[in-house]
Amino acid sequence: MPIAIHAEQALLPGGWAPNVRVTLSGAQIAMIERDTAAPGDVRVARLLPALGDVHADPCAPFFAALAPDAAPASAAWRQVEAALGKYLTPDDQEAAAAHAQVTALEAGFAAVGAFHRHHHGAGSRPKAYGADGAAAITAAAALTGVGLTLLPVLRSYGGPSQAPLTPADAPFACDPDSYLALLDCARDACQGLPKDSRVGMGVESLSATWTDDLSDLIDAVPDGPIHLPIARHGRDVTDGLGAYGARPVEWLLNLIGVDERWCLLHATAMTPAETAGLAASGAVAGSCPMLEACAGWGPFDGPAYRALGGRFALGTGLGAGPTSEVTVSSLLGSALGPTETSEAVYASVADGSAQALGRNGGQITPGSLADLVSLAPGQGLVGSVDTLWSAGREVVAQGRHPARDTIAARFQSALARLRAAI
């Protein structure tokens, strides 16, 4: 049966509108009416298109708990990452992924881009190439109802110019042939999920792959999003100049080519010419403000990039999942220009995240996926999440996911085992 939501205010493409009735049919928005209501409508105060978290490590809750004082990507953080990779089982991955997904949903994200990096662990079958992990992440999504874009991550080399992998890279290793097998496993794992799920391609960094490999593998995901962290700091730029003879973003734009399927993550070390080139490409720039700040990479210049017409989205980043301190409002602050309204930035980010995750959403318009969030009455644009729909599925009610307690208990059990092992 169709569901009708009556909002006192709704953020439509033209801005806030009063007294809006949104009818859902399955996963999509079927109709929008003004100044009308009917008995049985779901009544909400404020209705917005829900955001998507474009860069989410399914194991982020373990990092946050096991390395609480280590900056992401620091030596101490990498040490915990390597140790975790030795003991992590598929059951652990499912527990962490479900916990991260529930946290994201309750924070107002209807979908996540799962950057699936851990391909080998204590419970993985020999040469499974991440299949067990992919199955664990999709099992978590089936439980939580989150909109899932699964992004298996390629890491073939340990550094620029095809440097060999180190022992610490073992949990994440995936050569091109293995990666093709992993993509097939990921697609199989998503078969049991709702039709809004997607499989795309993740790349650890330009230093983790090589030109020919990257070109060939892009052809293996002809209709899926491609996510690549790039130009995070000065070392990325130096590595790019040494290996490719060009700055990373410059090289990628000119040699590989970038279009609407791409999401370039972080990109805090770009020249004005690279910034303009990325904006013109139609790709999405995915910024993770908390991660970039904690790692000392500096901020992505969201206002300048967006002023050039660049598509923009936000992620929580590896090891920095949404918490009470990391709210949607704090993430939005990184993209807010001096003359812009919060509503305009929010709408832009919602649209950009939908593009980056391969979802036909991001707006409250007929035909769009029903990724919607209602907020309790409050001050400012972003208040506490009341109800959240992911592709029409009601997954949060009165601010809570129905399986929150069970999922949290399972995560704490897995965390206790890993803490004792590490």
Side-chain angles (χ1 to χ4, degrees):
M1 294 291 292
I3 299 170
I5 305 167
H6 183 271
E8 295 175 16
Q9 286 188 306
L11 187 60
L12 303 181
W16 285 113
N19 196 19
V20 176
R21 187 171 190 255
V22 180
T23 301
L24 313 185
S25 179
Q28 293 184 314
I29 297 172
M31 181 168 46
I32 296 174
E33 301 168 281
R34 301 285 297 273
D35 301 319
T36 186
D41 286 357
V42 178
R43 301 285 182 141
V44 303
R46 293 180 293 166
L47 188 70
L48 299 87
L51 303 181
D53 182 350
V54 300
H55 193 43
D57 187 333
C59 293
F62 287 141
F63 294 125
L66 296 170
D69 299 322
S74 67
W77 192 89
R78 293 294 187 193
Q79 185 176 9
V80 171
E81 179 186 49
L84 179 64
K86 290 170 57 179
Y87 297 102
L88 192 70
T89 70
D91 284 346
D92 295 332
Q93 287 185 278
E94 183 178 341
H99 184 67
Q101 290 166 15
V102 165
T103 306
L105 291 167
E106 291 184 350
F109 296 100
V112 297
F115 208 63
H116 171 35
R117 306 164 67 239
H118 288 81
H119 302 318
H120 312 278
S124 296
R125 294 167 291 166
K127 297 188 181 297
Y129 300 122
D132 296 309
I137 295 164
T138 56
L143 176 62
T144 66
V146 76
L148 179 67
T149 297
L150 182 56
L151 301 164
V153 174
L154 174 71
R155 186 190 288 193
S156 302
Y157 303 105
S161 301
Q162 297 176 288
L165 292 165
T166 68
D169 297 322
F172 320 104
C174 195
D175 62 34
D177 289 340
S178 305
Y179 191 78
L180 291 174
L182 174 56
L183 284 175
D184 288 339
C185 292
R187 293 179 180 118
D188 289 344
C190 283
Q191 287 298 310
L193 294 180
K195 291 183 179 180
D196 60 288
S197 64
R198 298 286 183 270
V199 173
M201 178 180 182
V203 184
E204 182 72 21
S205 68
L206 280 184
S207 295
T209 185
W210 195 243
T211 308
D212 294 341
D213 294 345
L214 184 59
S215 298
D216 291 343
L217 291 172
I218 288 169
D219 294 336
V221 282
D223 56 356
I226 304 167
H227 287 216
L228 170 63
I230 196 168
R232 296 162 291 185
H233 39 60
R235 190 178 72 252
D236 271 354
V237 174
T238 301
D239 288 347
L241 288 169
Y244 298 107
R247 296 173 61 90
V249 175
E250 174 190 26
W251 178 85
L252 195 70
L253 291 172
N254 293 335
L255 187 62
I256 296 296
V258 169
D259 57 23
E260 292 82 0
R261 292 195 301 134
W262 287 76
C263 178
L264 299 192
L265 297 156
H266 311 309
T268 59
M270 288 198 296
T271 65
E274 288 175 315
T275 301
L278 180 57
S281 72
V284 176
S287 176
C288 302
M290 296 302 295
L291 169 62
E292 290 148 14
C294 291
W297 298 340
F300 178 83
D301 193 354
Y305 176 76
R306 291 183 59 254
L308 293 167
R311 310 280 287 172
F312 187 74
L314 293 168
T316 52
L318 311 181
T323 68
S324 58
E325 293 79 29
V326 185
T327 62
V328 172
S329 56
S330 66
L331 291 174
L332 285 174
S334 67
L336 188 60
T339 62
E340 294 181 299
T341 65
S342 297
E343 290 83 359
V345 173
Y346 184 98
S348 175
V349 172
D351 203 32
S353 64
Q355 177 181 324
L357 296 177
R359 297 176 69 78
N360 177 29
Q363 297 184 355
I364 302 180
T365 55
S368 292
L369 275 179
D371 287 349
L372 302 168
V373 60
S374 74
L375 305 177
Q379 298 296 318
L381 172 67
V382 179
S384 59
V385 172
D386 180 25
T387 308
L388 186 134
W389 294 265
S390 177
R393 303 178 293 273
E394 184 180 302
V395 288
V396 173
Q398 297 182 327
R400 290 180 59 92
H401 189 280
R404 176 208 281 183
D405 293 341
T406 300
I407 287 172
R410 183 182 176 191
F411 169 72
Q412 289 298 328
S413 177
L415 175 62
R417 187 190 69 79
L418 287 169
R419 181 176 277 126
I422 292 173

